Coordinates of all heavy atoms in Angstrom, one line a residue:
M27 N 6.4 -21.3 -6.9 CA 6.0 -20.1 -7.7 C 7.0 -19.0 -7.4 O 7.1 -18.6 -6.2 CB 4.6 -19.8 -7.4 CG 4.0 -18.8 -8.3 SD 2.4 -18.2 -7.8 CE 1.5 -19.7 -7.3
P28 N 7.7 -18.4 -8.4 CA 8.5 -17.3 -8.1 C 7.7 -16.1 -7.7 O 6.7 -15.8 -8.4 CB 9.3 -17.1 -9.5 CG 8.4 -17.7 -10.5 CD 7.6 -18.8 -9.8
A29 N 8.2 -15.4 -6.8 CA 7.5 -14.2 -6.3 C 8.1 -12.9 -6.8 O 9.3 -12.7 -6.7 CB 7.4 -14.2 -4.8
D30 N 7.4 -12.1 -7.4 CA 7.8 -10.8 -7.9 C 7.2 -9.7 -7.1 O 6.0 -9.6 -6.9 CB 7.4 -10.6 -9.4 CG 7.8 -9.3 -10.0 OD1 8.1 -8.4 -9.2 OD2 7.9 -9.2 -11.2
P31 N 8.1 -8.9 -6.4 CA 7.6 -7.9 -5.5 C 6.7 -6.8 -6.1 O 6.0 -6.1 -5.4 CB 8.8 -7.3 -4.9 CG 9.9 -7.6 -5.8 CD 9.5 -8.9 -6.5
N32 N 6.7 -6.7 -7.5 CA 5.9 -5.7 -8.1 C 4.6 -6.3 -8.7 O 3.7 -5.6 -9.2 CB 6.7 -5.1 -9.3 CG 7.9 -4.4 -8.8 OD1 7.8 -3.6 -7.8 ND2 9.0 -4.7 -9.3
E33 N 4.4 -7.6 -8.6 CA 3.2 -8.3 -9.0 C 2.2 -8.2 -7.8 O 2.6 -8.5 -6.6 CB 3.4 -9.7 -9.3 CG 4.1 -9.9 -10.7 CD 3.1 -9.6 -11.8 OE1 1.9 -10.1 -11.8 OE2 3.5 -8.9 -12.7
P34 N 0.9 -7.9 -8.0 CA 0.0 -7.9 -6.9 C -0.2 -9.3 -6.3 O 0.2 -10.3 -6.9 CB -1.3 -7.3 -7.5 CG -1.2 -7.5 -8.9 CD 0.3 -7.5 -9.3
C35 N -0.9 -9.3 -5.2 CA -1.2 -10.5 -4.5 C -1.9 -11.6 -5.4 O -2.6 -11.2 -6.4 CB -2.3 -10.1 -3.4 SG -3.0 -11.5 -2.5
A36 N -1.6 -12.8 -5.2 CA -2.0 -13.9 -6.1 C -3.5 -14.3 -6.0 O -4.0 -15.0 -6.8 CB -1.2 -15.2 -5.9
R37 N -4.2 -13.7 -5.0 CA -5.6 -14.0 -4.9 C -6.4 -13.1 -5.9 O -6.2 -11.9 -6.0 CB -6.2 -13.7 -3.5 CG -7.7 -14.0 -3.4 CD -8.2 -13.7 -2.0 NE -8.2 -12.3 -1.7 CZ -9.2 -11.4 -2.1 NH1 -10.3 -11.9 -2.8 NH2 -9.2 -10.1 -1.8
D38 N -7.3 -13.8 -6.7 CA -8.0 -13.0 -7.7 C -8.8 -11.9 -7.1 O -9.4 -12.1 -6.1 CB -9.1 -14.0 -8.4 CG -8.4 -14.9 -9.4 OD1 -7.3 -14.6 -9.8 OD2 -9.1 -15.8 -9.9
G39 N -8.7 -10.7 -7.7 CA -9.4 -9.6 -7.2 C -8.7 -8.7 -6.1 O -9.2 -7.7 -5.7
C40 N -7.5 -9.2 -5.7 CA -6.8 -8.5 -4.6 C -5.7 -7.7 -5.3 O -5.0 -8.2 -6.2 CB -6.2 -9.4 -3.6 SG -5.3 -8.6 -2.3
T41 N -5.6 -6.4 -4.9 CA -4.6 -5.5 -5.6 C -3.5 -5.1 -4.7 O -2.6 -4.3 -5.1 CB -5.3 -4.2 -6.1 OG1 -6.0 -3.6 -5.0 CG2 -6.3 -4.6 -7.2
F42 N -3.5 -5.6 -3.4 CA -2.3 -5.3 -2.6 C -1.1 -6.0 -3.1 O -1.1 -7.0 -3.8 CB -2.6 -5.8 -1.1 CG -3.7 -5.0 -0.4 CD1 -4.8 -5.6 0.0 CD2 -3.6 -3.6 -0.2 CE1 -5.8 -5.0 0.7 CE2 -4.6 -2.9 0.4 CZ -5.7 -3.6 0.9
L43 N 0.1 -5.4 -2.7 CA 1.3 -6.0 -3.1 C 1.6 -7.1 -2.1 O 1.1 -7.1 -0.9 CB 2.5 -5.0 -3.0 CG 2.4 -4.0 -4.2 CD1 3.5 -2.9 -4.0 CD2 2.6 -4.7 -5.5
P44 N 2.4 -8.1 -2.5 CA 2.7 -9.2 -1.6 C 3.4 -8.8 -0.3 O 4.1 -7.8 -0.3 CB 3.6 -10.1 -2.4 CG 3.4 -9.7 -3.8 CD 3.0 -8.3 -3.8
E45 N 3.1 -9.6 0.7 CA 3.8 -9.3 2.0 C 5.2 -9.7 1.9 O 5.6 -10.6 1.1 CB 3.1 -10.3 3.0 CG 3.5 -10.3 4.4 CD 2.7 -11.2 5.2 OE1 2.5 -12.4 4.8 OE2 2.3 -10.8 6.3
L46 N 6.1 -9.0 2.6 CA 7.5 -9.4 2.7 C 7.7 -10.2 3.9 O 7.2 -9.9 5.0 CB 8.4 -8.1 2.7 CG 8.4 -7.2 1.5 CD1 9.2 -6.0 1.7 CD2 8.9 -8.0 0.3
V47 N 8.5 -11.3 3.8 CA 8.9 -12.1 5.0 C 10.4 -12.1 5.1 O 11.1 -12.0 4.1 CB 8.3 -13.5 4.9 CG1 6.8 -13.6 5.0 CG2 8.8 -14.2 3.6
M48 N 10.9 -12.1 6.3 CA 12.3 -12.1 6.5 C 12.8 -13.5 6.5 O 12.3 -14.3 7.4 CB 12.6 -11.4 7.9 CG 12.3 -9.9 7.9 SD 13.2 -9.0 6.6 CE 14.9 -9.1 7.2
I49 N 13.7 -13.9 5.6 CA 14.3 -15.2 5.6 C 15.8 -15.0 5.6 O 16.3 -14.4 4.7 CB 13.8 -16.0 4.4 CG1 12.3 -16.3 4.4 CG2 14.6 -17.3 4.3 CD1 11.7 -16.9 3.2
A50 N 16.5 -15.5 6.6 CA 17.9 -15.3 6.7 C 18.3 -13.8 6.5 O 19.2 -13.5 5.7 CB 18.6 -16.2 5.7
D51 N 17.6 -12.9 7.2 CA 18.0 -11.5 7.2 C 17.7 -10.8 5.8 O 18.2 -9.7 5.6 CB 19.4 -11.2 7.6 CG 19.7 -11.6 9.0 OD1 18.7 -11.6 9.8 OD2 20.8 -12.0 9.3
T52 N 17.0 -11.5 4.9 CA 16.6 -10.9 3.6 C 15.1 -10.8 3.6 O 14.4 -11.8 3.9 CB 17.1 -11.8 2.5 OG1 18.5 -12.0 2.7 CG2 16.9 -11.1 1.2
A53 N 14.6 -9.6 3.1 CA 13.1 -9.5 3.0 C 12.7 -10.1 1.6 O 13.2 -9.6 0.6 CB 12.7 -8.0 3.1
L54 N 12.0 -11.1 1.6 CA 11.5 -11.7 0.4 C 10.0 -11.6 0.3 O 9.3 -11.8 1.2 CB 11.9 -13.2 0.4 CG 13.4 -13.5 0.4 CD1 13.7 -15.0 0.7 CD2 14.1 -13.1 -0.9
P55 N 9.5 -11.3 -1.0 CA 8.1 -11.2 -1.1 C 7.4 -12.6 -1.2 O 8.0 -13.6 -1.7 CB 7.9 -10.5 -2.5 CG 9.2 -10.9 -3.2 CD 10.3 -11.0 -2.2
T56 N 6.3 -12.7 -0.6 CA 5.5 -14.0 -0.7 C 4.6 -13.8 -1.9 O 4.6 -12.7 -2.6 CB 4.7 -14.2 0.5 OG1 3.8 -13.1 0.8 CG2 5.6 -14.4 1.8
V57 N 3.6 -14.7 -2.2 CA 2.7 -14.5 -3.3 C 1.4 -13.8 -2.9 O 0.7 -13.3 -3.8 CB 2.4 -15.8 -4.1 CG1 3.7 -16.3 -4.7 CG2 1.8 -16.8 -3.2
Y58 N 1.2 -13.8 -1.6 CA -0.1 -13.2 -1.1 C 0.3 -11.9 -0.3 O 1.3 -11.8 0.3 CB -0.9 -14.1 -0.3 CG -1.3 -15.4 -1.1 CD1 -0.7 -16.6 -0.8 CD2 -2.2 -15.3 -2.1 CE1 -1.1 -17.7 -1.6 CE2 -2.6 -16.4 -2.9 CZ -2.0 -17.6 -2.6 OH -2.4 -18.7 -3.3
C59 N -0.7 -11.0 -0.2 CA -0.5 -9.8 0.6 C -0.5 -10.1 2.1 O 0.0 -9.3 2.9 CB -1.5 -8.8 0.3 SG -3.2 -9.3 0.7
G60 N -1.0 -11.2 2.5 CA -1.1 -11.5 3.9 C -1.8 -12.8 4.2 O -2.2 -13.5 3.3
A61 N -1.9 -13.1 5.5 CA -2.5 -14.4 5.9 C -3.9 -14.5 5.4 O -4.4 -15.6 5.1 CB -2.4 -14.5 7.4
G62 N -4.7 -13.4 5.4 CA -6.1 -13.5 5.0 C -6.3 -14.0 3.6 O -7.1 -14.9 3.3
C63 N -5.5 -13.5 2.6 CA -5.6 -14.0 1.2 C -5.1 -15.4 1.1 O -5.6 -16.2 0.4 CB -4.9 -13.0 0.3 SG -5.8 -11.6 -0.2
A64 N -3.9 -15.7 1.7 CA -3.4 -17.0 1.7 C -4.3 -18.0 2.2 O -4.6 -19.1 1.5 CB -2.1 -17.1 2.4
D65 N -5.0 -17.7 3.3 CA -5.9 -18.7 3.9 C -7.2 -18.8 3.0 O -7.8 -19.9 2.9 CB -6.3 -18.3 5.3 CG -5.2 -18.6 6.3 OD1 -4.2 -19.2 5.9 OD2 -5.3 -18.1 7.5
Y66 N -7.6 -17.7 2.4 CA -8.8 -17.7 1.6 C -8.6 -18.7 0.4 O -9.4 -19.5 0.1 CB -9.1 -16.3 1.1 CG -10.3 -16.3 0.1 CD1 -11.6 -16.2 0.7 CD2 -10.2 -16.5 -1.2 CE1 -12.7 -16.3 -0.2 CE2 -11.3 -16.5 -2.1 CZ -12.5 -16.4 -1.6 OH -13.6 -16.5 -2.4
V67 N -7.4 -18.5 -0.2 CA -7.2 -19.4 -1.4 C -7.1 -20.8 -1.0 O -7.6 -21.7 -1.7 CB -5.9 -18.9 -2.1 CG1 -5.4 -19.9 -3.2 CG2 -6.1 -17.5 -2.7
W68 N -6.5 -21.1 0.2 CA -6.4 -22.5 0.7 C -7.8 -23.0 0.9 O -8.1 -24.1 0.5 CB -5.6 -22.5 2.0 CG -5.4 -23.8 2.6 CD1 -4.5 -24.8 2.2 CD2 -6.2 -24.4 3.6 NE1 -4.7 -25.9 3.0 CE2 -5.7 -25.7 3.8 CE3 -7.3 -24.0 4.4 CZ2 -6.3 -26.6 4.8 CZ3 -7.9 -24.8 5.3 CH2 -7.4 -26.1 5.5
L69 N -8.7 -22.2 1.5 CA -10.1 -22.6 1.8 C -10.8 -22.9 0.5 O -11.6 -23.9 0.4 CB -10.8 -21.5 2.6 CG -10.5 -21.4 4.1 CD1 -11.1 -20.2 4.6 CD2 -11.1 -22.6 4.8
E70 N -10.6 -22.0 -0.5 CA -11.3 -22.1 -1.8 C -10.9 -23.4 -2.4 O -11.7 -24.2 -3.0 CB -10.9 -20.9 -2.6 CG -11.7 -20.7 -3.8 CD -11.3 -19.4 -4.5 OE1 -10.1 -19.1 -4.7 OE2 -12.3 -18.6 -4.9
R71 N -9.6 -23.8 -2.4 CA -9.1 -25.0 -3.0 C -9.6 -26.2 -2.3 O -10.0 -27.2 -2.9 CB -7.6 -25.0 -3.0 CG -7.0 -24.1 -4.1 CD -5.5 -24.2 -4.1 NE -5.0 -23.2 -5.0 CZ -3.8 -22.6 -4.9 NH1 -3.0 -23.0 -3.9 NH2 -3.4 -21.7 -5.8
T72 N -9.7 -26.1 -1.0 CA -10.2 -27.2 -0.1 C -11.6 -27.5 -0.4 O -12.1 -28.6 -0.6 CB -10.0 -26.9 1.4 OG1 -8.6 -26.6 1.6 CG2 -10.5 -28.0 2.2
L73 N -12.4 -26.4 -0.5 CA -13.8 -26.5 -0.8 C -14.1 -27.1 -2.2 O -14.9 -27.9 -2.5 CB -14.5 -25.1 -0.7 CG -16.0 -25.1 -0.9 CD1 -16.7 -25.9 0.2 CD2 -16.5 -23.6 -0.8
A74 N -13.2 -26.7 -3.2 CA -13.4 -27.2 -4.6 C -13.1 -28.7 -4.7 O -13.7 -29.3 -5.5 CB -12.4 -26.4 -5.5
R75 N -12.3 -29.2 -3.8 CA -12.0 -30.6 -3.8 C -13.0 -31.4 -2.9 O -13.0 -32.7 -3.1 CB -10.6 -30.9 -3.2 CG -9.5 -30.6 -4.2 CD -8.2 -31.3 -3.7 NE -7.8 -30.9 -2.3 CZ -7.0 -29.9 -2.0 NH1 -6.4 -29.2 -2.9 NH2 -6.8 -29.6 -0.7
A76 N -13.7 -30.8 -2.1 CA -14.6 -31.5 -1.2 C -15.8 -32.0 -1.9 O -16.2 -31.4 -2.9 CB -15.0 -30.5 0.0
P77 N -16.4 -33.1 -1.4 CA -17.6 -33.6 -2.1 C -18.7 -32.6 -1.8 O -18.8 -32.0 -0.8 CB -17.8 -35.0 -1.3 CG -17.0 -34.9 -0.1 CD -15.9 -34.0 -0.3
I78 N -19.6 -32.6 -2.8 CA -20.8 -31.7 -2.7 C -21.8 -32.3 -1.7 O -22.1 -33.5 -1.8 CB -21.5 -31.6 -4.1 CG1 -20.5 -31.1 -5.2 CG2 -22.7 -30.6 -4.0 CD1 -20.2 -29.6 -5.1
T79 N -22.2 -31.5 -0.7 CA -23.1 -32.0 0.3 C -24.2 -30.9 0.4 O -24.1 -29.9 -0.2 CB -22.5 -32.3 1.6 OG1 -22.1 -31.0 2.2 CG2 -21.3 -33.1 1.5
E80 N -25.2 -31.2 1.3 CA -26.2 -30.2 1.6 C -25.6 -28.9 2.2 O -26.3 -27.9 2.2 CB -27.3 -30.8 2.4 CG -26.8 -31.2 3.8 CD -27.9 -32.0 4.6 OE1 -28.8 -32.6 4.0 OE2 -27.8 -31.9 5.9
D81 N -24.4 -29.0 2.8 CA -23.8 -27.9 3.4 C -23.0 -27.1 2.4 O -22.5 -26.0 2.7 CB -22.8 -28.3 4.5 CG -23.6 -28.9 5.7 OD1 -24.8 -28.5 5.9 OD2 -23.1 -29.8 6.3
T82 N -22.8 -27.6 1.2 CA -22.0 -26.9 0.2 C -22.5 -25.4 -0.1 O -21.7 -24.5 -0.1 CB -21.8 -27.7 -1.1 OG1 -21.2 -29.0 -0.8 CG2 -20.9 -27.0 -2.1
P83 N -23.8 -25.2 -0.4 CA -24.2 -23.9 -0.6 C -23.9 -22.9 0.5 O -23.5 -21.8 0.3 CB -25.7 -24.0 -0.8 CG -25.9 -25.4 -1.2 CD -24.9 -26.2 -0.5
L84 N -24.0 -23.4 1.8 CA -23.7 -22.6 2.9 C -22.2 -22.2 2.9 O -21.8 -21.1 3.2 CB -24.0 -23.4 4.2 CG -24.2 -22.6 5.5 CD1 -25.4 -21.7 5.4 CD2 -24.4 -23.6 6.7
A85 N -21.4 -23.2 2.6 CA -19.9 -23.0 2.5 C -19.6 -21.9 1.5 O -18.8 -21.0 1.6 CB -19.2 -24.3 2.3
R86 N -20.3 -22.1 0.3 CA -20.0 -21.1 -0.8 C -20.5 -19.7 -0.4 O -19.8 -18.7 -0.7 CB -20.7 -21.6 -2.1 CG -20.1 -22.8 -2.7 CD -20.6 -23.1 -4.0 NE -19.9 -24.3 -4.6 CZ -20.4 -25.2 -5.3 NH1 -21.7 -25.2 -5.6 NH2 -19.7 -26.2 -5.8
E87 N -21.6 -19.6 0.3 CA -22.0 -18.3 0.8 C -21.0 -17.7 1.7 O -20.7 -16.5 1.7 CB -23.4 -18.5 1.4 CG -24.0 -17.3 2.1 CD -24.3 -16.1 1.1 OE1 -24.3 -16.3 -0.1 OE2 -24.6 -15.0 1.6
G88 N -20.5 -18.6 2.6 CA -19.5 -18.1 3.6 C -18.2 -17.6 2.8 O -17.7 -16.5 3.2
M89 N -17.9 -18.3 1.8 CA -16.7 -17.9 1.0 C -16.9 -16.5 0.3 O -16.1 -15.7 0.2 CB -16.3 -18.9 -0.1 CG -15.8 -20.2 0.5 SD -14.3 -20.0 1.5 CE -13.1 -19.6 0.2
R90 N -18.2 -16.3 -0.2 CA -18.5 -15.1 -0.8 C -18.4 -13.9 0.2 O -17.8 -12.8 -0.1 CB -19.9 -15.1 -1.4 CG -20.2 -14.0 -2.4 CD -21.7 -14.0 -2.8 NE -22.6 -13.9 -1.7 CZ -22.8 -12.7 -1.1 NH1 -22.2 -11.7 -1.4 NH2 -23.7 -12.7 -0.1
K91 N -18.9 -14.1 1.4 CA -18.8 -13.1 2.4 C -17.3 -12.8 2.8 O -17.0 -11.6 3.0 CB -19.6 -13.5 3.7 CG -21.1 -13.4 3.5 CD -21.8 -13.8 4.7 CE -23.3 -13.7 4.5 NZ -24.1 -14.4 5.6
L92 N -16.6 -13.9 2.9 CA -15.1 -13.7 3.2 C -14.4 -12.9 2.1 O -13.6 -12.0 2.4 CB -14.5 -15.1 3.2 CG -14.3 -15.7 4.6 CD1 -13.7 -17.1 4.4 CD2 -13.5 -14.9 5.5
R93 N -14.8 -13.2 0.8 CA -14.2 -12.5 -0.3 C -14.5 -11.0 -0.2 O -13.7 -10.1 -0.4 CB -14.6 -13.1 -1.6 CG -13.7 -12.6 -2.8 CD -14.2 -13.3 -4.1 NE -15.5 -12.9 -4.4 CZ -16.5 -13.8 -4.7 NH1 -16.2 -15.1 -4.8 NH2 -17.7 -13.4 -5.0
D94 N -15.8 -10.7 0.0 CA -16.3 -9.3 0.1 C -15.5 -8.6 1.2 O -15.1 -7.5 1.1 CB -17.8 -9.3 0.4 CG -18.6 -9.7 -0.8 OD1 -18.0 -9.8 -1.9 OD2 -19.8 -9.8 -0.7
A95 N -15.3 -9.3 2.4 CA -14.6 -8.7 3.5 C -13.1 -8.4 3.1 O -12.6 -7.4 3.5 CB -14.7 -9.6 4.7
L96 N -12.5 -9.4 2.4 CA -11.1 -9.2 2.0 C -11.0 -8.0 1.0 O -10.1 -7.2 1.1 CB -10.6 -10.5 1.4 CG -10.3 -11.6 2.4 CD1 -10.0 -12.9 1.6 CD2 -9.1 -11.3 3.3
D97 N -12.0 -8.0 0.1 CA -12.0 -6.9 -0.9 C -12.2 -5.5 -0.3 O -11.8 -4.5 -0.9 CB -13.0 -7.2 -2.0 CG -12.6 -8.3 -2.9 OD1 -11.5 -8.8 -2.9 OD2 -13.5 -8.8 -3.7
A98 N -12.8 -5.5 0.9 CA -13.2 -4.2 1.5 C -12.0 -3.7 2.4 O -12.2 -2.6 3.0 CB -14.5 -4.3 2.3
R99 N -11.0 -4.4 2.5 CA -9.9 -4.0 3.4 C -9.2 -2.7 2.9 O -9.1 -2.5 1.7 CB -8.8 -5.1 3.5 CG -9.2 -6.3 4.3 CD -8.1 -7.3 4.1 NE -7.8 -7.7 2.7 CZ -6.9 -8.4 2.3 NH1 -6.0 -9.0 3.1 NH2 -6.8 -8.7 1.0
R100 N -8.7 -1.9 3.9 CA -7.9 -0.8 3.5 C -6.4 -1.2 3.6 O -5.6 -0.6 2.9 CB -8.2 0.4 4.5 CG -9.5 1.0 4.3 CD -9.8 1.9 5.5 NE -11.2 2.4 5.4 CZ -11.4 3.7 5.0 NH1 -10.5 4.5 4.8 NH2 -12.7 4.1 5.0
E101 N -6.1 -2.1 4.5 CA -4.7 -2.6 4.6 C -4.8 -4.1 4.7 O -5.8 -4.7 5.2 CB -4.1 -2.1 6.0 CG -4.0 -0.6 6.1 CD -2.9 0.0 5.2 OE1 -2.0 -0.8 4.8 OE2 -3.0 1.1 4.8
P102 N -3.8 -4.8 4.1 CA -3.8 -6.2 4.1 C -4.0 -6.8 5.5 O -4.7 -7.8 5.7 CB -2.4 -6.6 3.5 CG -2.0 -5.4 2.7 CD -2.6 -4.2 3.4
A103 N -3.4 -6.2 6.5 CA -3.4 -6.7 7.9 C -4.8 -6.5 8.6 O -5.0 -6.9 9.7 CB -2.3 -6.1 8.7
D104 N -5.7 -5.8 7.9 CA -7.1 -5.6 8.5 C -7.7 -6.9 8.8 O -8.6 -7.0 9.7 CB -8.0 -4.8 7.6 CG -7.6 -3.3 7.6 OD1 -6.7 -2.9 8.4 OD2 -8.1 -2.6 6.8
I105 N -7.4 -8.0 8.0 CA -7.9 -9.3 8.3 C -6.7 -10.2 8.4 O -5.9 -10.3 7.5 CB -8.9 -9.8 7.2 CG1 -10.1 -8.9 7.1 CG2 -9.3 -11.2 7.4 CD1 -11.1 -9.2 6.0
G106 N -6.6 -10.9 9.6 CA -5.5 -11.8 9.8 C -5.8 -13.2 9.3 O -6.6 -13.4 8.4
P107 N -5.1 -14.2 9.9 CA -5.4 -15.5 9.5 C -6.8 -15.9 9.6 O -7.5 -15.6 10.6 CB -4.5 -16.4 10.4 CG -3.5 -15.4 10.9 CD -4.1 -14.0 10.9
L108 N -7.3 -16.7 8.6 CA -8.7 -17.2 8.7 C -8.8 -18.6 9.2 O -9.8 -19.0 9.6 CB -9.3 -17.2 7.2 CG -9.2 -15.9 6.5 CD1 -9.6 -16.1 5.0 CD2 -10.1 -14.8 7.1
V109 N -7.7 -19.3 9.2 CA -7.6 -20.7 9.6 C -6.7 -20.8 10.8 O -5.6 -20.3 10.7 CB -7.1 -21.5 8.4 CG1 -7.1 -23.0 8.8 CG2 -8.0 -21.3 7.2
E110 N -7.2 -21.4 11.8 CA -6.3 -21.7 13.0 C -5.9 -23.2 12.9 O -6.8 -24.1 12.9 CB -7.0 -21.4 14.3 CG -7.2 -19.9 14.5 CD -7.8 -19.7 15.9 OE1 -7.5 -20.4 16.8 OE2 -8.6 -18.8 15.9
L111 N -4.6 -23.4 12.8 CA -4.2 -24.8 12.7 C -3.6 -25.2 14.1 O -3.2 -24.4 14.9 CB -3.1 -25.0 11.6 CG -3.6 -24.6 10.2 CD1 -2.4 -24.7 9.2 CD2 -4.7 -25.6 9.8
Ligands
LIG21 ZN1 -4.3 -10.3 -1.1

């Protein structure tokens, strides 16, 4: 996906500008404002592909709380990575 530094973060509802990363001494924009949004979208896609189980409503509720927390940030870095690999 081509990244435009003037387009906001690719997570729905996020209005921050994409984070810049240094690649070979050049600052290039990513598609998300930071690790929080990138991880949220990854989690959302993972959940969407997962089989529905009795835990699914709990997972969806957790995602809603995460989204609210991300939407309430003043700075993209207020919430760091959500997933530890
Ligand atoms: Zn974002």
Side-chain angles (χ1 to χ4, degrees):
M27 191 187 314
D30 181 338
N32 299 309
E33 283 289 312
C35 174
R37 182 181 67 83
D38 281 349
C40 183
T41 56
F42 291 120
L43 289 173
E45 180 178 45
L46 294 175
V47 290
M48 293 301 291
I49 297 174
D51 295 333
T52 306
L54 296 172
T56 59
V57 294
Y58 299 109
C59 63
C63 279
D65 285 354
Y66 178 87
V67 172
W68 182 82
L69 283 168
E70 197 174 43
R71 286 180 185 155
T72 302
L73 185 62
R75 280 198 307 265
I78 305 284
T79 70
E80 62 189 26
D81 293 329
T82 300
L84 199 64
R86 288 189 177 143
E87 173 66 9
M89 291 301 288
R90 195 186 58 74
K91 286 182 180 164
L92 266 179
R93 193 179 62 231
D94 288 349
L96 287 169
D97 287 348
R99 288 174 302 173
R100 289 167 186 254
E101 297 291 335
D104 286 352
I105 296 178
L108 306 172
V109 182
E110 286 185 40
L111 298 175

